[in-house]
Amino acid sequence: MGANAEKKDRCGTVCLKYLLFTFNFLFWLAGGAVMAVGLWTLVKKSDYISLLSSRIYAVSAYILCLAGVIVMVTGVLGCCATFKEKRRLLRVYFVLLMCIFLLEILAGVLAYIYYQQLSDELKSNLKNTMVNKYKQPEQDHVTQAVDKLQQEFKCCGSHNSSDWMESVWVRTSESGKRVVPDSCCKTPMELCGQRDHPSNIYKVEGGCIAKLENFIMDHLKLIGAVGVGVACVQIVGMIFTCCLYRSLKAEPY
């Protein structure tokens, strides 16, 4: 009877080992995906971050990058702990899983909070940023972001093209008698912004605010879903870890 019970326990331990190994492999892939989403936000869309007064959007992306790196390292540690059957390694692995879980939940919560306040922030700050910082000294990052925003989303001005009448840059001789930046033009070329006729520039209802708001809201949904989704999957990993930990004999000290 004792031998049979021990054999069953051993079979259960082996099954748990392979389940946890499979989880760790998938977890490692998920870590790469999480890090990729964070890096894509920071590298490809970093220009738009400079147009936002709040840093929550960027912080959420940084948290995802950090969590992704830790996830990939933890996945390797989890595989080692599983096959070596070391209770101490499993304890470290469980603690790391818990830390990643909290980081990803935090990223998801921050994305949700910022999602709620994004519209008000853009309405109160985007126009001020565009008309007061565009083409101004030491504001090259803002200038590049505005030009990219207007060309990529085919819009002109925060609410509409007439917003540029209040621009500090447009009122100076440096504008070359432009009434809007050249990036507002459907076919950008030098001094094309001198003519603001609808046939020449983008006239979009809601202006760039509506376009940028929709883009960031969609991306915040992605950040939140990735963070919370992977965190929920980790609960399965923590359960497997606890089960394997309990099935292993205590290590002698």
Side-chain angles (χ1 to χ4, degrees):
M1 290 291 291
N4 287 335
E6 186 176 343
K7 187 175 181 180
K8 287 181 180 179
D9 288 343
R10 187 59 192 167
C11 286
T13 300
V14 170
C15 288
L16 281 171
K17 280 176 61 177
Y18 281 101
L19 280 173
L20 193 54
F21 176 78
T22 303
F23 168 81
N24 276 307
F25 176 71
L26 296 175
F27 191 49
W28 186 85
L29 293 178
V34 167
M35 186 170 62
V37 170
L39 286 175
W40 180 71
T41 302
L42 295 171
V43 175
K44 292 293 186 180
K45 305 302 175 183
S46 59
D47 289 338
Y48 299 146
I49 293 174
S50 64
L51 298 176
L52 305 172
S53 60
S54 173
R55 307 307 298 172
I56 295 178
Y57 182 58
V59 168
S60 297
Y62 279 119
I63 289 174
L64 279 187
C65 287
L66 177 61
V69 171
I70 299 175
V71 162
M72 297 184 78
V73 173
T74 302
V76 175
L77 175 64
C79 289
C80 294
T82 301
F83 277 102
K84 287 181 178 293
E85 298 186 8
K86 295 291 185 181
R87 285 165 61 96
R88 293 175 192 174
L89 281 178
L90 284 172
R91 283 198 294 268
V92 173
Y93 174 64
F94 183 85
V95 170
L96 285 174
L97 279 181
M98 183 63 71
C99 291
I100 299 165
F101 176 82
L102 295 175
L103 275 176
E104 287 169 342
I105 289 292
L106 178 60
V109 169
L110 285 176
Y112 177 77
I113 291 172
Y114 192 50
Y115 183 89
Q116 304 299 312
Q117 68 183 53
L118 176 64
S119 181
D120 291 338
E121 180 190 324
L122 287 177
K123 288 174 183 175
S124 61
N125 294 308
L126 185 59
K127 181 179 178 180
N128 179 64
T129 298
M130 292 175 79
V131 301
N132 291 318
K133 295 185 178 181
Y134 186 81
K135 293 284 188 181
Q136 298 305 298
E138 299 181 3
Q139 297 295 334
D140 290 343
H141 61 294
V142 172
T143 300
Q144 292 171 8
V146 170
D147 285 338
K148 181 178 179 180
L149 173 67
Q150 294 189 142
Q151 275 296 296
E152 190 168 316
F153 292 115
K154 298 181 179 179
C155 57
C156 185
S158 54
H159 295 88
N160 50 61
S161 58
S162 62
D163 290 336
W164 286 109
M165 295 174 63
E166 302 174 37
S167 169
V168 173
W169 170 71
V170 165
R171 294 176 183 177
T172 65
S173 58
E174 295 177 4
S175 66
K177 296 184 179 179
R178 293 178 180 86
V179 289
V180 296
D182 293 340
S183 57
C184 281
C185 300
K186 295 178 180 178
T187 306
M189 61 182 67
E190 188 70 20
L191 298 178
C192 67
Q194 291 177 342
R195 180 169 169 267
D196 63 350
H197 192 272
S199 63
N200 184 51
I201 68 169
Y202 295 114
K203 296 276 189 179
V204 180
E205 185 177 348
C208 291
I209 281 182
K211 296 281 189 175
L212 185 58
E213 181 178 353
N214 288 336
F215 165 78
I216 295 180
M217 281 190 167
D218 287 343
H219 204 224
L220 284 172
K221 288 178 185 176
L222 176 62
I223 290 175
V226 168
V228 175
V230 175
C232 290
V233 171
Q234 284 176 236
I235 295 174
V236 177
M238 286 189 279
I239 292 172
F240 286 159
T241 304
C242 288
C243 292
L244 181 58
Y245 181 85
R246 293 185 64 183
S247 70
L248 297 175
K249 295 180 179 179
E251 298 170 25
Y253 284 91

